[in-house]
């Protein structure tokens, strides 16, 4: 679980974020709705693929999200 959370954190730090399927599985699935409602995450389509990435606000407050992941 810790390794999955760490990989997710590293991927979210990138501009591309993570694919939608990854964001819909544990450990992210429980936090996704909260993070989107809080304006920390946004759903986007890049290269025709649905993805989830940090918003500008999310980049500033990412430690809150990451702490909840671990």
């Amino acid at each position: 679980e810790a390794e999955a959370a760490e990989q997710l954190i590293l991927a979210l730090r990138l501009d591309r974020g993570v694919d939608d399927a990854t964001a819909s599985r544990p450990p992210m699935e429980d936090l996704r709705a909260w993070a989107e409602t809080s304006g920390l995450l946004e759903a986007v389509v890049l290269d025709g693929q649905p993805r989830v990435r940090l918003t500008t606000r999310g980049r500033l407050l990412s430690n809150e999200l990451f702490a909840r992941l671990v």
Side-chain angles (χ1 to χ4, degrees), residues 22-39:
T22 300
S24 298
R25 292 191 303 257
M28 189 66 194
E29 70 178 338
D30 295 334
L31 295 174
R32 183 175 176 175
W34 167 81
E36 287 177 342
T37 302
S38 300

Side-chain angles (χ1 to χ4, degrees), residues 16 18-21 43-52:
R16 294 185 52 80
V18 297
D19 62 272
D20 189 64
V44 296
V45 176
L46 298 174
D47 299 327
Q49 300 295 318
R51 303 190 65 80
V52 176

Side-chain angles (χ1 to χ4, degrees), residues 3-68:
E3 184 178 330
E6 185 66 27
Q7 288 178 346
L8 188 57
I9 289 168
L10 291 174
L12 284 171
R13 290 183 185 270
L14 301 175
D15 288 337
R16 294 185 52 80
V18 297
D19 62 272
D20 189 64
T22 300
S24 298
R25 292 191 303 257
M28 189 66 194
E29 70 178 338
D30 295 334
L31 295 174
R32 183 175 176 175
W34 167 81
E36 287 177 342
T37 302
S38 300
L40 304 179
L41 289 178
E42 65 182 350
V44 296
V45 176
L46 298 174
D47 299 327
Q49 300 295 318
R51 303 190 65 80
V52 176
R53 67 181 180 188
L54 291 170
T55 62
T56 301
R57 175 181 164 79
R59 290 182 184 273
L60 296 172
L61 301 172
S62 61
N63 284 342
E64 177 66 28
L65 174 62
F66 299 158
R68 291 178 185 220

